[in-house]
Protein backbone atom coordinates (compact mmCIF):
# COMPACT_ATOMS: atom_id res chain seq x y z
CA UNK A 1 0.00 0.00 0.00
CA UNK A 2 1.40 3.38 -0.92
CA UNK A 3 1.45 6.45 1.26
CA UNK A 4 -0.87 8.13 -1.25
CA UNK A 5 -3.47 5.40 -0.72
CA UNK A 6 -3.29 5.70 3.04
CA UNK A 7 -3.47 9.48 2.90
CA UNK A 8 -6.48 9.38 0.61
CA UNK A 9 -8.23 6.87 2.90
CA UNK A 10 -7.79 9.19 5.88
CA UNK A 11 -8.80 12.21 3.80
CA UNK A 12 -11.99 10.47 2.62
CA UNK A 13 -12.75 9.51 6.23
CA UNK A 14 -12.55 13.14 7.37
CA UNK A 15 -14.53 14.31 4.33
CA UNK A 16 -17.29 11.87 5.33
CA UNK A 17 -17.27 13.28 8.88
CA UNK A 18 -17.64 16.82 7.49
CA UNK A 19 -20.53 15.67 5.30
CA UNK A 20 -22.26 14.00 8.27
CA UNK A 21 -21.91 17.14 10.40
CA UNK A 22 -23.47 19.32 7.72
CA UNK A 23 -26.18 16.73 7.07
CA UNK A 24 -27.08 16.75 10.78
CA UNK A 25 -27.07 20.56 10.90
CA UNK A 26 -29.41 20.81 7.93
CA UNK A 27 -31.78 18.02 8.99
CA UNK A 28 -32.00 17.12 12.66
CA UNK A 29 -30.82 20.42 14.14
CA UNK A 30 -32.94 22.40 11.67
CA UNK A 31 -36.05 20.40 12.63
CA UNK A 32 -35.37 21.07 16.32
CA UNK A 33 -34.98 24.78 15.63
CA UNK A 34 -31.49 24.94 17.13
CA UNK A 35 -29.45 25.54 13.97
CA UNK A 36 -29.93 29.27 13.67
CA UNK A 37 -29.72 32.41 15.74
CA UNK A 38 -26.95 34.16 17.59
CA UNK A 39 -23.82 32.57 19.07
CA UNK A 40 -25.51 31.84 22.41
CA UNK A 41 -28.58 30.05 21.07
CA UNK A 42 -27.16 28.42 17.94
CA UNK A 43 -26.22 24.83 18.74
CA UNK A 44 -24.89 24.36 15.21
CA UNK A 45 -22.30 27.16 15.38
CA UNK A 46 -19.49 25.16 16.96
CA UNK A 47 -19.93 21.94 14.92
CA UNK A 48 -20.18 24.04 11.74
CA UNK A 49 -16.95 25.91 12.59
CA UNK A 50 -15.06 22.70 13.37
CA UNK A 51 -16.41 21.01 10.22
CA UNK A 52 -15.37 23.99 8.10
CA UNK A 53 -11.87 23.90 9.60
CA UNK A 54 -11.62 20.17 8.88
CA UNK A 55 -12.95 20.75 5.34
CA UNK A 56 -10.24 23.35 4.68
CA UNK A 57 -7.58 20.91 5.90
CA UNK A 58 -9.06 18.09 3.77
CA UNK A 59 -8.98 20.29 0.67
CA UNK A 60 -5.41 21.35 1.45
CA UNK A 61 -4.38 17.72 1.90
CA UNK A 62 -5.97 16.72 -1.41
CA UNK A 63 -4.17 19.56 -3.20
CA UNK A 64 -0.87 18.57 -1.60
CA UNK A 65 -1.36 14.89 -2.40
CA UNK A 66 -2.20 15.44 -6.05
CA UNK A 67 0.43 18.16 -6.41
CA UNK A 68 3.28 15.76 -5.64
CA UNK A 69 4.15 12.92 -7.94
CA UNK A 70 6.05 10.95 -5.31
CA UNK A 71 4.91 7.49 -4.38
CA UNK A 72 6.50 5.47 -1.66
CA UNK A 73 5.83 2.09 -0.19
CA UNK A 74 4.84 2.03 3.49
CA UNK A 75 5.51 -0.88 5.77
CA UNK A 76 3.05 -0.98 8.65
CA UNK A 77 4.72 -1.65 11.98
CA UNK A 78 2.63 -4.34 13.72
CA UNK A 79 3.60 -3.10 17.20
CA UNK A 80 2.49 0.44 16.42
CA UNK A 81 -0.70 -0.89 14.84
CA UNK A 82 -1.51 -2.94 17.94
CA UNK A 83 -0.91 0.11 20.13
CA UNK A 84 -3.24 2.24 18.00
CA UNK A 85 -5.96 -0.42 18.05
CA UNK A 86 -5.50 -0.83 21.81
CA UNK A 87 -5.86 2.90 22.42
CA UNK A 88 -8.95 3.01 20.25
CA UNK A 89 -10.45 0.04 22.10
CA UNK A 90 -9.74 1.57 25.52
CA UNK A 91 -11.37 4.83 24.47
CA UNK A 92 -14.40 3.00 23.02
CA UNK A 93 -14.84 1.02 26.25
CA UNK A 94 -14.46 4.26 28.23
CA UNK A 95 -17.17 5.99 26.21
CA UNK A 96 -19.42 2.94 26.49
CA UNK A 97 -19.09 2.79 30.28
CA UNK A 98 -19.06 6.54 30.97
CA UNK A 99 -22.83 6.99 31.13
CA UNK A 100 -23.38 3.79 33.09
CA UNK A 101 -20.52 3.94 35.63
CA UNK A 102 -19.91 7.68 35.65
CA UNK A 103 -16.85 9.86 35.22
CA UNK A 104 -15.08 9.04 38.48
CA UNK A 105 -15.26 5.26 38.09
CA UNK A 106 -14.21 5.19 34.44
CA UNK A 107 -11.62 7.93 33.92
CA UNK A 108 -8.91 6.70 36.30
CA UNK A 109 -8.87 3.15 34.81
CA UNK A 110 -8.90 4.62 31.30
CA UNK A 111 -5.90 6.86 31.98
CA UNK A 112 -4.12 3.94 33.68
CA UNK A 113 -4.80 1.66 30.69
CA UNK A 114 -3.51 4.29 28.27
CA UNK A 115 -0.29 4.53 30.27
CA UNK A 116 0.13 0.75 30.12
CA UNK A 117 -0.47 0.67 26.37
CA UNK A 118 2.06 3.48 25.88
CA UNK A 119 4.71 1.48 27.74
CA UNK A 120 4.80 2.83 31.29
CA UNK A 121 5.55 0.16 33.91
CA UNK A 122 5.86 1.93 37.28
CA UNK A 123 2.42 0.96 38.52
CA UNK A 124 2.41 2.96 41.75
CA UNK A 125 3.37 6.19 40.02
CA UNK A 126 0.97 5.41 37.18
CA UNK A 127 -1.95 4.96 39.57
CA UNK A 128 -1.11 8.19 41.38
CA UNK A 129 -0.81 10.07 38.08
CA UNK A 130 -4.12 8.64 36.82
CA UNK A 131 -5.89 9.68 40.02
CA UNK A 132 -4.39 13.18 39.94
CA UNK A 133 -5.31 13.63 36.28
CA UNK A 134 -8.88 12.39 36.58
CA UNK A 135 -9.65 14.38 39.74
CA UNK A 136 -7.76 17.41 38.43
CA UNK A 137 -9.80 17.45 35.23
CA UNK A 138 -13.01 16.89 37.22
CA UNK A 139 -12.14 19.85 39.46
CA UNK A 140 -11.43 22.12 36.51
CA UNK A 141 -14.54 21.12 34.58
CA UNK A 142 -16.94 21.17 37.53
CA UNK A 143 -15.59 24.09 39.52
CA UNK A 144 -14.41 26.55 36.88
CA UNK A 145 -16.31 25.55 33.73
CA UNK A 146 -19.57 24.53 35.48
CA UNK A 147 -19.79 21.27 33.52
CA UNK A 148 -21.75 18.51 35.23
CA UNK A 149 -19.86 15.26 34.73
CA UNK A 150 -21.78 11.97 34.47
CA UNK A 151 -22.40 10.44 37.89
CA UNK A 152 -23.43 7.01 36.64
CA UNK A 153 -25.78 4.59 38.39
CA UNK A 154 -24.23 5.43 41.76
CA UNK A 155 -24.62 9.20 41.19
CA UNK A 156 -21.01 9.84 42.22
CA UNK A 157 -20.36 13.57 42.15
CA UNK A 158 -17.92 15.52 44.24
CA UNK A 159 -19.23 18.77 45.75
CA UNK A 160 -16.26 21.05 45.16
Amino acid sequence: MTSRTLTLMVTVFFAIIVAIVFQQIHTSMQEQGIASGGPYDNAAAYPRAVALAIAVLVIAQILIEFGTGQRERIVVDPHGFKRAVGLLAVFAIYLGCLGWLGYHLTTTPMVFAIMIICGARQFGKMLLAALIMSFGFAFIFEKFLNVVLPGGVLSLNIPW
Side-chain angles (χ1 to χ4, degrees), residues 3 11 22 151:
S3 66
T11 305
F22 281 110

Side-chain angles (χ1 to χ4, degrees), residues 7-150:
T7 302
L8 287 177
M9 287 171 52
V10 171
T11 305
V12 167
F13 173 76
F14 280 108
I16 290 170
I17 289 174
V18 169
I20 289 171
V21 168
F22 281 110
Q23 184 267 340
Q24 287 294 309
I25 288 171
H26 292 295
T27 56
S28 176
M29 295 177 104
Q30 199 77 21
E31 291 169 5
Q32 296 175 44
I34 58 174
S36 62
Y40 293 110
D41 56 355
N42 184 356
Y46 181 73
R48 183 181 292 123
V50 172
L52 285 173
I54 292 172
V56 167
L57 293 174
V58 164
I59 291 168
Q61 185 61 42
I62 289 171
L63 292 174
I64 289 169
E65 194 60 37
F66 285 114
T68 60
Q70 302 172 357
R71 294 179 188 220
E72 61 185 59
R73 197 88 171 130
I74 291 184
V75 178
V76 177
D77 177 25
H79 183 68
F81 183 73
K82 289 178 187 175
R83 180 177 291 170
V85 170
L87 289 170
L88 184 63
V90 165
F91 191 66
I93 292 168
Y94 171 72
L95 287 179
C97 294
L98 186 62
W100 179 55
L101 291 175
Y103 175 85
H104 295 290
L105 293 179
T106 55
T107 304
T108 301
M110 187 242 345
V111 172
F112 190 81
I114 287 173
M115 287 184 210
I116 289 174
I117 291 171
C118 290
R121 293 294 179 254
Q122 297 175 341
F123 295 112
K125 290 180 182 178
M126 290 167 45
L127 180 60
L128 182 63
L131 285 167
I132 290 171
M133 278 194 268
S134 73
F135 284 103
F137 285 132
F139 180 75
I140 290 169
F141 275 91
E142 291 180 336
K143 183 72 173 175
F144 297 114
L145 300 175
N146 294 325
V147 174
V148 178
L149 298 173

